[in-house]
Amino acid sequence: MTMVSIVSPISNGYSTGPEKIGSRWRAFARTAFPFLVVGGIWEIVAHLGIFPQRLFPTLEDVAITFVQLTISGILPHHVIETLIRLFCGFALAGTMGILIGIAMGQSRRAEDIFLPLVSIGAPIPGLAYAPLFLLWFGLGNLSTILLVAFVSVFPVIINTWTGGKAVREIWVRSAKAMGSDDRQLFRYVILPGTLPYILTGLRLGLAQAWRILVAVEMLAAVPWGLGWLIFGAREFLNTDVMLAAIVVIGGIGLALEKFVFKRLEDYTVVRWGMMVS
Amino acid sequence: MTNASVHIRSARRAAITLLFAAAVYETLARSGIFAAALLPTLPQVAQTLVAMLVDGTMVWHVAYTLYRVIFGFSLAVAVGVPLGILMGRFRAVENFFLPLASALMPIPSLAWVPVFILWFGIGNTTTILIVFYAATFPMLLNAWSGVRAVNPLWLRAAGVMGASERRLFWKVIVPGASPFIITGLRQAFLRAWIAVVGAEMLAASNWGLGWTIFDAKEFLNADVMLASLAVIGCIGFIFERLVFGSLERITVIRWGMMRAAKD
Amino acid sequence: MRPIEIRDVSLIYETPAGNVPGVQSVSFQIAASEFVCIVGPSGCGKSTLLNIIAGFLTPTVGEIRIDGKAVTGQGQDRGVVFQDFAQLFPWRTALGNVAFGLEMQGMEKNRRETIAMEQLGLVKLEKFAQSYPHHLSGGMQQRVAIARALAYNPAVLLMDEPFAALDALTRDDMQRLLADVWRKTRKTVIYVTHNVAEAVYLADRVVVMTPHPGTVKTEVLIRLPRPRDPLSVEFLDYQRQLLQHLGQHAAAG
């Protein structure tokens, strides 16, 4: 977001401090404003009692529930279980995806073998496989993790493969002219040359995994996890619990997007000028 | 050229891979290591598919799913495109809606399903709203960045040539943003397609492809699941390749603008 | 330094329209520490010939000998500089790029970085050792590329129109710098260009090639003292002489 520059009456050279704080405060107020409006409307509707309180709780109720669940350790437990599943599934997908993608990018044979499978598997919504996985691997963690891995592996494969093809011929030539053998070529040229695409693939894969995981937790009837927390709360019409859990889900989603790969990208491909941040 | 022969070889290898995969599956299914109900043979799956098509159940499932996904998707386009364009054109609109969109976007649409079930009950309304939720954000953000990416030179050129604000909008901004809007349509449909299957599993009753798959689990009907999966894959493929592919071909690729949308 | 011999080299491209000779029966020798320019219009096979010497292409007939030994494939006895700025590895600093060849030999870090730093000094870029390529201008990137090709001390430096993508002023600077680097290192250089003035400015000897098929038409010795004055009568005479050899093709360029 670009800041609107404000003209400060003080121009003695010390003005940057207060001016900066002022414009930062303004930016904050501008971001907060829409939330205040929407929150205000929500409060009015909730207090008017048009809808049953249980189905449309006030924001105070949601906040209180959130605090209670956090203090009692219930919410953190759900969060940790969900994150562990996400991590396991995604780690599996990342490893397999990068290996298969690089093999496809480097060898015509691997490409011919995997490409048909990938192009058939990728467009089918991963969630459609969920019941099948549950049938095959049973309700619970194994199915959930495998499904998350299965869903997020495709973006990783496709991007890594594309990246392998995008490694410039001239880098390969230069490296060979400077005496790289095949192993060195792979490690010092092909891998860093493919990295922007690998990171994009991982990022997309993680987002995909996150979108699916919550739903899979609902279907797989795992005893802990944010998806199950929401789904289970439905039975007792605990809308406040659901909304509190959704806030947490949104927060984690945002954090995954903003911090996990952003840092890694800034440190590598953005610094190398291979990608704009 | 040698290009064609490479093509033929790739196609042949693809066929070999798929045949091989099918053969492995078939061997496993017939080996009796796994229960037949869990791992039906391919002819069985084909038979089920044909039977469901002939007695019309599959057609109804498809019709329900398509109705929900197209309804929700159209709603998302109707809201997302105008709002995105307004956000791109007017600071105030952007300042108001961008923070809201950024806060709601990271929440997976399917997380809302239980809440929507409480609010709207099980059935079409919930499913359609979930699809709408899933598809709106990619649409909105692409339209918004599309308008912002319209080359200022075009605006200036059009201004010099005497275009009014209204004409500027329809003749320059909308076509200029169209590569992004078309990318948005594509992404939005992909999200909508995932959302509809998930939402139907959790919140539909009696009809819909997602519902059939989930329902089949109760009765260990793996053949029904696989048949529905095949149909889901086909429909996804048709939309992705034929509908959006040809939409791109007749518009932005012809204008040589596709690069802009991909960057 | 070792002499290089190009012996009866031909390369024939197989296309659907039939066999097209890219380079035909090219033979010449290059003495140790000699600066040879190959000039010719586009399509005369000069870049193809350089790629053969570099080992990226295998000739259909003939061979390349360095110091009497036939070479095949790429090797550290040849350093290559391309026209494309993108030849540098974006994920390595200028220093990291220059040290690459030494790293491939397995030289330890301190030693290779000392040598790389010296090479950067040769092209006057010590200050930018820690910069990534995308922060360097086109001319600076090409200087890094030259340092990189020299760092592992190859017998010969192969340059394929390294300055063709630069603006005219930068190109003049780069030519002066290269002449300076050559005076200091005394490397054998094979330099491909379509720019006649550049060839006269840099070369001891100019090999003129003509297309259809790509063959050596003639060779011209440049007997001018260095540093050379591009505005001197003798310089312009050489230029005119080369242009005559090239005929119509080069007159436009």
Side-chain angles (χ1 to χ4, degrees):
Chain A
M1 225 187 296
T2 50
M3 305 262 186
V4 183
S5 65
I6 46 168
V7 184
S8 169
I10 321 158
S11 53
N12 55 9
Y14 296 101
S15 64
T16 45
E19 187 178 288
K20 216 175 190 173
I21 290 166
S23 71
R24 204 177 271 175
W25 198 85
R26 269 175 167 231
F28 173 74
R30 206 165 49 211
T31 310
F33 176 68
F35 293 102
L36 289 177
V37 172
V38 174
I41 295 173
W42 180 289
E43 280 296 273
I44 292 169
V45 173
H47 280 283
L48 281 178
I50 305 170
F51 305 108
Q53 187 85 67
R54 290 225 66 109
L55 294 187
F56 207 89
T58 60
L59 294 179
E60 305 94 90
D61 284 346
V62 177
I64 290 167
T65 308
F66 176 79
V67 172
Q68 277 172 349
L69 284 176
T70 308
I71 292 172
S72 64
I74 293 173
L75 193 56
H77 189 170
H78 285 293
V79 169
I80 286 169
E81 292 262 335
T82 297
L83 286 180
I84 289 175
R85 283 186 201 111
L86 180 73
F87 178 78
C88 291
F90 180 64
L92 194 62
T95 320
M96 294 303 294
I98 292 174
L99 288 178
I100 296 176
I102 284 184
M104 282 170 68
Q106 297 310 308
S107 128
R108 180 100 215 161
R109 187 169 291 275
E111 185 177 348
D112 285 335
I113 291 171
F114 284 109
L115 193 58
L117 298 176
V118 170
S119 19
I120 287 178
I124 300 179
L127 212 50
Y129 292 99
L132 205 61
F133 274 59
L134 294 176
L135 203 61
W136 285 347
F137 306 108
L139 292 175
N141 275 330
L142 181 63
S143 290
T144 317
I145 290 171
L146 285 180
L147 200 65
V148 166
F150 184 77
V151 166
S152 49
V153 81
F154 290 108
V156 183
I157 294 180
I158 290 170
N159 277 281
T160 308
W161 168 59
T162 317
K165 306 219 122 184
V167 168
R168 287 169 187 251
E169 182 59 30
I170 200 163
W171 295 338
V172 175
R173 280 193 171 196
S174 302
K176 280 189 176 164
M178 288 186 278
S180 306
D181 57 35
D182 283 348
R183 209 176 46 84
Q184 287 171 323
L185 191 69
F186 179 77
R187 180 165 161 214
Y188 294 109
V189 179
I190 291 171
L191 216 51
T194 316
L195 198 61
Y197 292 83
I198 294 179
L199 288 178
T200 306
L202 288 176
R203 210 201 323 221
L204 292 175
L206 186 64
Q208 195 113 301
W210 182 241
R211 274 200 294 275
I212 245 61
L213 176 58
V214 178
V216 176
E217 283 182 344
M218 294 180 193
L219 295 170
V222 287
W224 290 93
L226 288 167
W228 183 248
L229 177 65
I230 300 180
F231 202 63
R234 190 189 46 132
E235 302 276 316
F236 310 101
L237 301 184
N238 284 333
T239 317
D240 49 348
V241 174
M242 291 176 163
L243 290 174
I246 284 179
V247 170
V248 175
I249 288 173
I252 295 174
L254 200 65
L256 291 176
E257 209 170 283
K258 283 273 150 77
F259 299 118
V260 178
F261 286 112
K262 190 81 181 52
R263 287 283 165 80
L264 201 57
E265 277 175 4
D266 284 346
Y267 187 69
T268 56
V269 290
V270 172
R271 192 161 61 121
W272 303 336
M274 294 171 81
M275 194 192 253
V276 277
S277 62
Chain B
M1 289 280 290
T2 45
N3 218 342
S5 72
V6 167
H7 235 80
I8 291 167
R9 201 188 57 189
S10 285
R12 204 177 53 219
R13 286 206 184 153
I16 291 170
T17 310
L18 294 180
L19 281 177
F20 182 72
V24 168
Y25 178 89
E26 196 65 12
T27 319
L28 269 180
R30 284 178 192 273
S31 68
I33 303 171
F34 304 98
L38 297 186
L39 217 61
T41 61
L42 293 175
Q44 272 174 327
V45 175
Q47 229 167 29
T48 309
L49 179 59
V50 172
M52 288 178 82
L53 283 171
V54 170
D55 72 9
T57 46
M58 184 56 89
V59 181
W60 275 109
H61 288 310
V62 169
Y64 264 92
T65 302
L66 280 182
Y67 164 71
R68 287 165 187 149
V69 77
I70 289 172
F71 199 137
F73 174 72
S74 311
L75 218 56
V77 174
V79 172
V81 174
L83 193 57
I85 290 176
L86 287 176
M87 278 167 63
R89 279 304 271 171
F90 301 105
R91 237 318 141 63
V93 182
E94 181 183 307
N95 282 341
F96 191 84
F97 284 102
L98 193 60
L100 288 178
S102 319
L104 290 177
M105 202 172 38
I107 304 173
S109 54
L110 292 171
W112 288 103
V113 172
V115 182
F116 282 16
I117 290 176
L118 281 189
W119 285 349
F120 309 106
I122 282 196
N124 279 343
T125 317
T126 296
T127 320
I128 289 168
L129 283 176
I130 293 293
V131 170
F132 167 69
Y133 188 96
T136 300
F137 294 110
M139 207 57 255
L140 184 77
L141 288 189
N142 275 290
W144 171 64
S145 15
V147 172
R148 283 159 45 107
V150 169
N151 191 339
L153 266 182
W154 300 342
L155 291 180
R156 238 181 271 166
V160 170
M161 289 185 275
S164 66
E165 178 69 24
R166 210 170 64 89
R167 293 193 125 192
L168 204 65
F169 183 81
W170 285 112
K171 302 283 174 192
V172 181
I173 292 172
V174 171
S178 58
F180 286 81
I181 293 177
I182 286 171
T183 307
L185 287 174
R186 201 175 203 154
Q187 283 177 6
F189 188 81
L190 215 65
R191 294 275 180 87
W193 191 233
I194 296 170
V196 79
V197 172
E200 282 181 347
M201 286 184 185
L202 294 164
S205 53
N206 299 331
W207 296 106
L209 289 166
W211 181 83
T212 354
I213 294 183
F214 197 65
D215 186 56
K217 187 184 72 112
E218 303 288 310
F219 306 100
L220 299 182
N221 284 334
D223 50 344
V224 175
M225 290 181 169
L226 287 168
S228 311
L229 263 175
V231 174
I232 289 176
C234 281
I235 296 175
F237 182 84
I238 287 169
F239 270 95
E240 171 68 17
R241 284 291 158 82
L242 302 183
V243 178
F244 293 110
S246 49
L247 190 64
E248 258 169 20
R249 260 196 305 284
I250 58 172
T251 54
V252 287
I253 288 179
R254 203 178 45 171
W255 304 335
M257 282 169 64
M258 208 50 216
R259 252 178 195 291
K262 283 196 175 145
D263 283 343
Chain C
M1 294 298 146
R2 296 162 287 177
I4 296 162
E5 199 178 345
I6 292 148
R7 271 197 195 170
D8 191 32
V9 166
S10 297
L11 187 130
I12 292 155
Y13 290 112
E14 284 174 37
T15 70
N19 291 346
V20 177
V23 179
Q24 199 167 55
S25 311
V26 170
S27 296
F28 58 91
Q29 294 189 354
I30 299 144
S33 295
E34 193 180 12
F35 198 126
V36 171
C37 278
I38 304 175
V39 295
S42 50
C44 72
K46 56 190 192 301
S47 286
T48 308
L49 182 62
L50 198 81
N51 279 327
I52 293 171
I53 301 172
F56 299 130
L57 296 172
T58 311
T60 321
V61 184
E63 61 181 2
I64 310 291
R65 283 171 177 268
I66 296 179
D67 205 18
K69 240 172 51 193
V71 293
T72 46
Q74 297 100 16
Q76 289 206 323
D77 48 0
R78 285 149 289 166
V80 189
V81 179
F82 302 97
Q83 177 183 335
D84 193 347
F85 301 160
Q87 66 190 293
L88 295 183
F89 303 129
W91 53 89
R92 285 178 164 244
T93 58
L95 191 71
N97 264 285
V98 177
F100 188 90
L102 300 170
E103 194 177 336
M104 294 302 108
Q105 293 172 355
M107 185 184 284
E108 53 114 5
K109 194 169 179 249
N110 281 336
R111 263 187 71 205
R112 69 176 186 246
E113 290 196 342
T114 315
I115 295 175
M117 209 63 196
E118 281 167 18
Q119 298 300 324
L120 279 173
L122 201 61
V123 294
K124 302 190 173 65
L125 282 176
E126 308 97 313
K127 278 189 202 153
F128 295 91
Q130 298 306 328
S131 300
Y132 284 95
H134 72 117
H135 286 306
L136 303 175
S137 69
M140 288 157 108
Q141 290 186 28
Q142 292 306 77
R143 273 144 73 188
V144 175
I146 293 169
R148 183 172 82 166
L150 288 172
Y152 50 91
N153 199 22
V156 55
L157 188 58
L158 307 173
M159 307 181 85
D160 190 359
E161 307 208 31
F163 309 144
L166 297 169
D167 64 273
L169 284 176
T170 313
R171 191 160 57 222
D172 289 350
D173 284 345
M174 295 291 288
Q175 286 164 5
R176 264 194 298 279
L177 182 107
L178 180 62
D180 196 42
V181 167
W182 180 74
R183 188 178 53 76
K184 285 181 189 151
T185 60
R186 285 282 156 187
K187 278 283 170 222
T188 312
V189 181
I190 305 179
Y191 188 108
V192 163
T193 179
H194 63 266
N195 183 331
V196 168
E198 188 170 66
V200 177
Y201 183 79
L202 289 169
D204 292 321
R205 180 159 53 110
V206 178
V207 175
V208 180
M209 287 184 73
T210 47
H212 317 299
T215 47
V216 174
K217 190 179 181 202
T218 185
E219 293 181 17
V220 177
L221 278 174
I222 312 288
R223 295 176 208 276
L224 290 174
R226 295 169 201 261
R228 290 171 180 165
D229 176 8
L231 297 175
S232 68
V233 178
E234 297 87 345
F235 193 99
L236 294 173
D237 275 345
Y238 274 118
Q239 244 180 290
R240 194 168 304 130
Q241 190 186 339
L242 286 174
L243 283 172
Q244 268 162 8
H245 284 305
L246 288 169
Q248 293 289 323
H249 290 288

